[in-house]
Structure formats: C-alpha cells, structure tokens
Amino acid sequence: MPIARRFRVRGVVQGVGFRPHVYRLATELGLAGEVANLGAEVEVLVEGEPAALDEFSRRLALEAPPVAVVEECLASTAEPTGRSGFRIVHSRRTALQLVRVPPDLALCADCAAELTDPADRRYLHPFINCTNCGPRYTIVRGVPYDRPRTSMARFPMCESCRAEYENPTDRRYHAQPVACHWCGPTVRWMCDHGGEAVGPEALTEARMALAAGRIVAVKGIGGFHLACDAANDSAVQRLRARKRREQKPLAVMFRDMAAIERNCVLTDEARRLLTGPEAPIVLAPRAQGAGLSSLVAPDSTSFGALLPYAPIHALLFMNAPYDALVMTSGNLTDEPICTDNDEARVRLAGVADGFLLHDRDILRACDDSVVRPTRVGNMVMRRSRGFVPAPVHLSEDYGEVLAVGGHLKNTFCITSGRNAYLSQHIGDLDDATTLEFFGRQVESLIGLLEVHPRAIACDMHPTYLSTRWAEARAEEQCLPLVHVQHHHAHIAAVLAEHGQDGPVLGIACDGTGYGEDGTVWGCELLLATRGRCERVGHLLQVPLPGGEAAVREPWRMALAWAEAAGVDQPFSAMPHLAHRGDDWEILRAAARAGLNAPVASSAGRLFDAVAAMLGLCEENAYEGQAPMRLEAVAADTAESVAWGIAEGQPLVLDPRPALRSVLDMHQRGAPLDEIAGAFHNGFCSALVSAAVRLCTELSLAAVALSGGTFQNERVLVGCVEGLRSVGIKVYYPIEIPPNDGGLSLGQAVVAACRE
Ligand code: ZN
Ligand code: ZN
Ligand code: FE
C-alpha cells in the first residue's frame, strides 16, 4: 500500500541545489510527488512504498548539497493521491515568508576545473557558476530569489544554458546566475591612456599591468578591489600613498594554497576557512622567509590571506608571473566600497592605473570578511561577504526590531522571528557619504526581508550619526526608540549568540563607549542579562589629555598614565618621549584645570599607553595600531606584572602597580617582547581575579567577554583559558565580531527585551 508524507525543510535551502537533490533522490527511489519553494522553507510531498519512503526520509537531509544547511526537517503524514512522477513546482509565495537568500559562494572545485578545461564550453569564462557557487546576496533585487529578481535578468539565457538551468539532474539546475560566453556578462579593460579591450584580451591587459607593477581596480562580487603585485615594494608603496592608507595591513590574495603555505603558517582550521564557500580573509602568522613586500603588513606578524573566490580572480592568476596580489577594498580610506563601473571610474581615477570592469551589476556592496583562527575558536573580525545574510539564530521570537549599531565598523541588525539578520560591514559612520550608504543598505535589507520594525535601537552616544539617524527615523515613523549602553550591547550580543539569558558577569573591553554617567567607558565589568545591566566594576579612570586627540596620539596616554601612577621623572623612564616635554606641560596644566580632559576607563587607551611607553607607537596611523604593535612584539612568557584591585561598589581595577613595573623593566633594559608579554599576562590575570571575586559575591556561574580589545588573540586566549582554569564558564563571540561590528545584534536584543 503506498503511503504519503509531507516534509517541511527550513534553513539555507534556496538557490543551493536543494530542490534538484530532492528530485534526484525521489526519482531514484521511484517515489511520486513534488517539491516547492515556499520562501522560508521547502515543502516536499512524496508518496510510494513505505520502505522507499523510509529510505527517502533517511537521506533527505543527510545527502543535501554541500552548501545547503538543513536546520529543521519536520515530517508529517499526508493522504496519498495516487499521482505519478515527481516534479519541481515553481516558487510559490506565501503570505508570511521569511526570506532566505543565501550568501555569496566562492568558486567551487567543479567550476574551477571547467574554467581551465579547454574542452569545456565555459573554458576561461569569467562568470562561471553553478548551484554550489557564485554570487547570491550581492545580485538579488527582491524575493523570492529567482533570476528575474537578480541583476542577471538582463542577460537572456542561450539555449544551452537554459537546457542546463531547466534540467533537474544538472549541476546548474536553477542556478540563478548561470551564464556562458555566448549569453553572459562580459569583462572590459579600460586604462588611463585610452586603452580598451573586451573579453579575454581585457584579462590579458589586466595581468600585464599587474605584472608591470601597476595598480588595477578589479570589479568582483561585492565591489571593487584595488590590486597590485604583493611582492613589488614600489607598487605596494604607490597603492598605499594613493589610497591614503599609509600603514594599516593590506589583504593578500594568493594564487593557490601552495602559495599561501609558502608565506603563512596554517592550521587545519585556517585551511578549512580559506577553502570554504565563505572564502574570507584569514589572518595567519607569516612564515619564515615569506616572499611578500614588507610594506604589506608592517605592524603585524600575520598576513590577511585569501584565495581567488570569483572566476575573474582565478583568471587574473592564470599564466601570470606573480603568485600574490594585494587585494584591498576599492575605495579611498574611510569611504564605502565602490560597486558601480562609472562611479569607480570617477572615485578611483587617481588611484588605479587601469580598470577591469564587467557588466553584471552589484546590487549590494559587500566587503570581504575577515576571520582570525585562535586556539579557543575562530574570531570573526569582519562579518560580511559569504556570511551575510545568513541569520544568527535567537532562542526567542522578538518580533521585528531594527538596531542601527555604533560608529566605527558599523553594521546594523534586523530581527524577524527567531532570526537576527546582521548586515554586511558598512564602515565608520563619520561622513555624509557613509551615512547615505548606511541608509540605503537599511532600506534595502528591510525590503528584502519584508519586515516592519516595531522599535528602533541605537547607542546612547548623543552625537553618533547612527543615533541621530535612528532618532529622526523613530520620530518620522512614530516608533519607540531604545538607547542601549554600548558595553551592555556588546555583552547582550554574546548572550544572544549563545542562546543565554544571563545573568552573567559581562567583561567588555574596548576603546570607547558612552557610559551611563556620561563619561567614556571602555573596560567594564557588568552584571548583565539580555535586558538589563549594572556596572559592578571598571578600570581606574584617567583623564584623556586633549580629549579625542588622545585617541590618535598614544604618547599622551603614556604620560597621563605615568602621571596617574606617580612616576616622578617620566622622561627618564621614557626618554624617547622627551621631545613631547613642552606639549605635555601645557596638556598637564589644562588637565589639572579640568580643561578638555574627559576621564575614561578605556582598555584601548591603556594598551595605547603601554605601546607608547615602550616606544612602539607614539601616534596611531589607524584605529588600533598601537595595540596591534604591542601584541605583535609580545613574547610567550610566564612573567606577569601585578595589578591592584580596589574592592568597592563598583570594584576598581588598578593598573598603576603594573605600569610602574613596566616602566621599571624598561628602564632596566629588559627586552621589549618580555615586557609586552608580561603586560598582556597581567591584564588577563587582573580580569580573571576580578571575575572570580565578582562571580562569588554575586553568585554568578558564567562570564561573557566582548569588545574590540578581545580581537587581541593574547587577551582573548589568556582570559578564556584563565577563567576556565578556575572553573568559570565563559562565553565569547564566535560567529559575530567582538568589535563594534557586533554591537547592533546586542542593541536589537536589549531593545526587544525591554519593549
Ligand atoms: Zn560551481
Ligand atoms: Zn549561455
Ligand atoms: Fe565597542
């Protein structure tokens, strides 16, 4: 007797070859029925012999295609209808659909093989893709995700492509961006001297320019890159000067894994990340004798490495003399990434010598993601292309909330049902261009998700552009606006990611966040739940001499902390800062008079101070430079410098004894790597001891860590292992960034809990 069953499959099951898989499996087992795309889920109706149906149930999720993610598969009994054959029903829209547009997927092995096979009809085709790879989020206009609603709509498929697209047994069945030489987009080369070329010649021109040390703007998946030969000092130097990015590390795209292995020390996890469908930039320690220009990442002991993830990238390396290209986002420092051909030609005119363009429009700008593997798990430093718009799963349905994030490394977040959709990296929101870009991306994601937020969340900082934007929008739409304290948002994001309610002891360490008392916070111990928080401890506050200027100039923090620590003769302990003597006298007098010297409990500024004390960095050329240099020199030592802890409410972490030891060691001529290592160890020990005291006092069993300071591997690993060794459960960010890129998720959760 035939029986029937209905399956509802949720997860990443659209545009990833899931329906063809269902079709093949049902056909193989001789089952009848249909599979339909319902937007949020795929519905399968099958009927046939019980044994075959059992086999089908067993293999449905198990044998799903590599990039599909089956999160839930609910089976129920259905009435057999006596139908025959199996078909794939066209996308059906339901009223309440949760959209699952997949993230962009890196070039797969099958397509990579076809790309270099002269017998294949897509030999050297710069847009080759299939259901297992290719652009998704960046080419989608609306939902459901179907070709007419992508930027491929204007390329009618040729007969051969259509046959593949419509054949359920083909690897390209319903691969929306499917294309070939005859029907697909084309590449074009344009250079300043009037040269132009189309198709294969365009790639040849681009390769020749790169080989000659020129800078080429390359249109890829989520935007433009600026590329140059990573082994060529003068090319890298020129790129830095023109892009106005003097010292910040640059990402490097390597020809293949062998080339990465020659330059970086990889763990198995790093290899897995590099070759996975997300294809992020992976931070990996550089190898002995690495052959790249020393200008690529002067402050770091690591390289940000990635593999060619679009066919156009793979073609740039074909028969080329170079093995590694700097691939930095195509913008001037602090501006959003370029996505449009004409826009790029204008904005990058003074930067690139030539342009490798194509005519497949990028509808959503998406920078490369950055992941740093550590001993205690992966740290996502930038969650963007390849990850977005995959949601973070929440343990509760919060309804629809929009959170606008912070100021630096902005992302925003929209919750819907039990999902939180964290946007791609937007950038630092400090000018009109970026704010306008932010606004467009918010509208665009709201449209894609078809949501109507019932509340808006923002930071408490009154002058953040994101806060102002949120205030205006809340007023315009008559929505409640929830101001969320910066460090509470950091901790709430970790709780949300791990499905925890708290209470926990939250340890939030970063550069700057607006505190509830109006002062600058940045090393905070919080008694936190998802909805509430109370400050139960913090770093000793010191004045920031000159306010904002102290953020850019760590030498000011070195002297401010030395003064706080009671160092009488700062310039004999730090002779390298003697030339700042006159400036310091003025600043010190002003600070004493309470002029332009706001107090702060910032971990970032403390790391700045120590870096400057050791002569590693007097002025920050980019955010986080001084701490990065301090981490880079820190030796793996057992030595530590002891802190004080002043009990009280709140408890105060006192680094003054540690700083006196640091200066002492420095004066005695101890090696810098020893001192830096000891400082890192002391910082972690102080946090662990404070956590032990507060957890006991407040009867807490767990700690949650977050904030930009935990991008420092030494700090993250030291705190995680330290807390574990004393039996405290510790939560820290794995899927979302510890820096302000993760803030919007926390804001959304806090606001949702309060509203
Ligand atoms: Zn493929
Ligand atoms: Zn075609
Ligand atoms: Fe922060």
Side-chain angles (χ1 to χ4, degrees), residues 407-429:
H407 175 67
L408 297 176
K409 302 184 171 70
N410 178 277
T411 66
F412 59 90
C413 177
I414 297 171
T415 61
S416 172
R418 285 173 53 178
N419 289 322
Y421 296 90
L422 205 57
S423 78
Q424 69 269 39
H425 170 80
I426 303 293
D428 298 350
L429 282 187

Side-chain angles (χ1 to χ4, degrees), residues 153-175:
R154 54 188 266 233
F155 300 99
M157 280 180 254
C158 69
E159 264 175 55
S160 311
C161 284
R162 178 158 295 281
E164 292 168 311
Y165 181 83
E166 288 175 351
N167 175 3
T169 62
D170 195 278
R171 199 173 91 241
R172 296 197 165 85
Y173 174 76
H174 275 209

Side-chain angles (χ1 to χ4, degrees), residues 357-493:
L357 309 169
H358 64 70
D359 54 358
R360 182 179 67 198
D361 290 340
I362 297 170
L363 301 180
R364 285 154 209 283
C366 225
D367 288 83
D368 292 325
S369 296
V370 184
V371 182
R372 180 175 196 179
T374 78
R375 209 157 72 200
V376 294
N378 292 331
M379 182 202 298
V380 176
M381 299 174 81
R382 187 198 287 158
R383 187 179 179 279
S384 214
R385 179 193 48 78
F387 294 96
V388 174
V392 177
H393 297 286
L394 304 172
S395 53
E396 257 174 77
D397 182 342
Y398 289 117
E400 295 169 353
V401 174
L402 164 66
V404 299
H407 175 67
L408 297 176
K409 302 184 171 70
N410 178 277
T411 66
F412 59 90
C413 177
I414 297 171
T415 61
S416 172
R418 285 173 53 178
N419 289 322
Y421 296 90
L422 205 57
S423 78
Q424 69 269 39
H425 170 80
I426 303 293
D428 298 350
L429 282 187
D430 40 22
D431 57 36
T433 324
T434 318
L435 188 67
E436 198 252 338
F437 175 68
F438 166 86
R440 268 189 285 130
Q441 298 305 319
V442 172
E443 296 312 336
S444 161
L445 191 59
I446 283 183
L448 193 62
L449 297 171
E450 301 183 304
V451 292
H452 304 279
R454 62 179 173 89
I456 302 183
C458 65
D459 197 88
M460 283 172 77
H461 201 296
T463 64
Y464 276 5
L465 289 184
S466 57
T467 304
R468 296 222 187 122
W469 187 94
E471 283 165 354
R473 186 176 179 105
E475 193 179 316
E476 181 189 300
Q477 305 196 343
C478 296
L479 291 174
L481 179 68
V482 183
H483 290 88
V484 181
Q485 201 279 321
H486 189 96
H487 303 97
H488 184 204
H490 272 309
I491 300 304

